[in-house]
Amino acid sequence: MTATSSPDPVRADVAVIGGSGFYSFFEGATEVTIDTPYGSPSAPITVGDVEGRTVAFLPRHGVRHEFAPHTIPYRANLWALRTLGVQRVFAPCAAGSLTPDLVTGSMVVPDQLVDRTSGRAQTYFDGGGVHVQFADPYCADLRKAAARPGTVEGGVLVVVEGPRFSTRAESLWFARQGWTLVNMTGHPEAVLARELEMCYATIALVTDLDAGIEAGDGVRAVDVFAEFQRNLGSLKTLVRSAIAAAPEGPCDACRVHEGVTLPIELP
């Protein structure tokens, strides 16, 4: 681990992983470059102060959106953050709505996740009989911290492989299951955080009505990015408030390896 502006090791206890259009968070921050056993993360990590907390920021897609959802180095990203000492992660993202109740611009703190991806490396444990508890994929403490006035608390995020958007039939199927949001990056990020015993919560910004549900032209990337940019200032304000409200240290529920001998040493 090397820091560009400090000879001392850089540490952080909270991290923010920025989604589409969320490429920076600080001014005058320390930039840290970390190599991991899983390659390099999406971008150098910047570390700065937010509401009195030392926070690491990593743009999920890279600083110029170099990585499509299915090519993001998820394992390297989470490993690098844990190497810095991060114990709590907020993960803002863009998402499509699967219900008319969630209009564009809504900010949602989901409590459940459904994985519909394929082919992504989704674990650090390819052997050794390690099976992490994942019934509740998001940390209750962080969800509470992110549930600021104006947010929607609760919901099911279904994660698709991408990079294409859903067909209308797929969107209708997802909606019939009672799922409320759809995006392309929420998995395996959440489970990798759990494997590293980091508390993790998603904050989803609704950018579109997915595939138009039953009417409309469907989703266009240009419209998604534009809607995200329109609401980016409000999203950053929400993330800052969540950081201020987050308790220190990991919660007991996210410590999932007690009594288990791991086949690898965690950072």
Side-chain angles (χ1 to χ4, degrees):
M1 179 176 68
T2 58
T4 60
S5 60
S6 173
D8 300 320
V10 177
R11 305 289 287 176
D13 64 290
V14 181
V16 175
I17 302 177
S20 299
F22 195 158
Y23 305 127
S24 63
F25 197 42
F26 311 107
E27 295 293 335
T30 299
E31 185 176 283
V32 184
T33 301
I34 300 176
D35 291 322
T36 81
Y38 307 95
S40 299
S42 297
I45 298 168
T46 51
V47 179
D49 180 81
V50 176
E51 304 294 340
R53 307 287 291 271
T54 304
V55 178
F57 176 76
L58 176 63
R60 181 183 289 116
H61 293 277
V63 294
R64 294 177 299 277
H65 210 104
E66 303 97 297
F67 294 98
H70 63 296
T71 66
I72 292 168
Y74 294 101
R75 291 194 295 181
N77 286 352
L78 274 299
W79 191 276
L81 293 174
R82 191 68 184 91
T83 299
L84 287 176
V86 168
Q87 296 181 310
R88 294 183 177 271
V89 179
F90 289 104
C93 66
S97 170
L98 294 168
T99 168
D101 296 335
L102 294 177
V103 299
T104 56
S106 299
M107 296 187 197
V108 187
V109 184
D111 59 351
Q112 276 297 323
L113 178 152
V114 175
D115 173 29
R116 293 289 301 169
T117 66
S118 61
R120 301 183 184 189
Q122 58 178 297
T123 182
Y124 295 107
F125 305 117
D126 290 323
V130 180
H131 308 279
V132 299
Q133 187 275 345
F134 203 56
D136 298 299
Y138 303 117
C139 172
D141 286 351
L142 291 197
R143 289 186 58 250
K144 182 178 179 180
R148 304 286 92 194
T151 61
V152 178
E153 187 174 359
V156 181
L157 175 69
V158 55
V159 186
V160 298
E161 179 69 4
R164 69 168 177 85
F165 293 115
S166 302
T167 67
R168 202 177 306 278
E170 288 168 336
S171 292
L172 290 169
W173 174 47
F174 297 159
R176 283 195 296 268
Q177 308 313 304
W179 306 338
T180 50
L181 297 163
V182 57
N183 103 319
M184 300 178 189
T185 59
H187 186 86
E189 202 169 84
V191 71
L192 293 173
R194 182 64 54 86
E195 288 191 344
L196 294 177
E197 296 191 319
M198 293 191 292
C199 297
Y200 177 99
T202 289
I203 303 172
L205 170 60
V206 175
T207 56
D208 59 272
L209 189 62
D210 195 63
I213 304 298
E214 296 189 49
D217 296 328
V219 185
R220 298 191 312 158
V222 64
D223 298 327
V224 169
F225 286 120
E227 185 65 28
F228 198 95
Q229 286 301 313
R230 275 193 291 272
N231 292 279
L232 183 56
S234 297
L235 179 60
K236 287 185 176 182
T237 297
L238 172 59
V239 172
R240 289 177 180 274
S241 298
I243 290 169
E248 297 186 5
C251 69
D252 291 338
C254 296
R255 290 185 175 131
V256 293
H257 297 314
E258 286 191 17
V260 177
T261 300
L262 300 180
I264 62 173
E265 183 178 352
L266 303 184

